[in-house]
Amino acid sequence: MSRHEIHRSHRIGWLRAAVLGANDGIVSTASLIIGVASAQAAHADILLAGVAGLVAGAMSMAAGEYVSVSSQSDTEKADLELEKESLKNDFEFELKELANIYEKRGLDPNLAKQVAEQLMAHDALGAHARDELGLAENVRARPIQAALFSAGTFTIGAALPLLIAWNLPGMQLITAVAVSSLVFLAILGGLAARAGGAAISIGALRVTFWGALAMGLTAAVGRLFGVAV
């Protein structure tokens, strides 16, 4: 009986950006709302802080992801250009280098040389990119994709505690935002773990722990430095 395997490595690029964006959106916005509310600010000021945090955070996530992943992409391109030059100027050396890689993986010398020759005859640069540099196509850096996923999921994540705060003025707001945000984080962690093939319980636990810590610290800051109005 044949078995169809479902691999998840092709999700690494967008999944990392999406989880980071959503997690940061929930944690930072909920923490901001709780911190300002703990300082006994007016409801309108709390909402203003939350909306400002959403907009600033989404743009910051987009810019940060684009810049960081672009740097990774630049490094990948530079390495590929170096390989192109080496293949052009010293093909035999590159052939031996690739054969040595296969030998270290367990092939005997003759077979390793044959494999290297056939792969380089088919796509020399692709063979070296994959086996020497570790640049698989499904995990290559994609700056625009990372920026869009991160900003979009940050906006969604930030909107959740903001909607709770919008509908619950007064001191109920702090408890409601904290509890609902922890639930959102647990769901997010579970879904991310599921998408990545990990244990759902572990994924949910690790994001809720850090989210609770962040909200607790900002609430303490709000109470300590806030001025009653």
Side-chain angles (χ1 to χ4, degrees):
M1 180 182 292
S2 62
R3 179 185 175 189
H4 179 64
E5 296 178 334
I6 300 176
H7 297 285
R8 297 176 173 85
S9 60
H10 64 281
R11 302 175 179 174
I12 290 175
W14 65 262
L15 181 61
R16 181 197 62 81
V19 171
L20 177 63
N23 181 80
D24 198 20
I26 296 171
V27 173
S28 62
T29 306
S31 298
L32 181 61
I33 289 172
I34 291 172
V36 175
S38 296
Q40 300 182 25
H43 189 243
D45 294 333
I46 296 171
L47 295 179
L48 177 60
V51 172
L54 184 154
V55 175
M59 294 306 300
S60 176
M61 291 296 293
E65 282 290 332
Y66 184 80
V67 170
S68 63
V69 179
S70 291
S71 297
Q72 178 187 342
S73 179
D74 291 341
T75 302
E76 292 176 356
K77 291 176 182 177
D79 281 345
L80 288 174
E81 286 299 322
L82 189 63
E83 282 300 314
K84 284 182 183 179
E85 287 296 318
S86 187
L87 286 167
K88 180 180 178 181
N89 298 324
D90 198 348
F91 192 86
E92 285 300 318
F93 172 80
E94 291 296 323
L95 177 61
K96 291 178 181 178
E97 186 176 43
L98 195 61
N100 286 335
I101 291 173
Y102 298 143
E103 280 188 55
K104 291 177 180 179
R105 292 181 182 176
L107 298 183
D108 66 67
N110 290 331
L111 181 57
K113 184 179 179 182
Q114 291 177 21
V115 171
E117 289 174 342
Q118 291 187 31
L119 288 177
M120 289 183 68
H122 174 69
D123 181 6
L125 182 61
H128 280 271
R130 180 180 60 254
D131 295 321
E132 181 185 350
L133 303 177
L135 301 179
E137 183 62 31
N138 61 343
V139 293
R140 294 282 292 276
R142 294 178 174 83
I144 295 177
Q145 182 193 68
L148 291 176
F149 268 99
S150 188
T153 54
F154 181 97
T155 301
I156 294 171
L160 297 175
L162 189 56
L163 287 173
I164 300 296
W166 187 285
N167 292 292
L168 283 174
M171 294 307 295
Q172 294 178 328
L173 180 151
I174 296 176
T175 302
V177 168
V179 172
S180 62
S181 295
L182 290 176
V183 172
F184 296 148
L185 287 170
I187 294 172
L188 171 65
L191 291 175
R194 174 71 175 176
I200 293 176
S201 58
I202 294 176
L205 181 61
R206 62 192 175 197
V207 295
T208 51
F209 169 78
W210 290 106
L213 181 61
M215 286 182 272
L217 289 174
T218 50
V221 169
R223 289 187 179 277
L224 183 61
F225 297 102
V227 178
V229 295

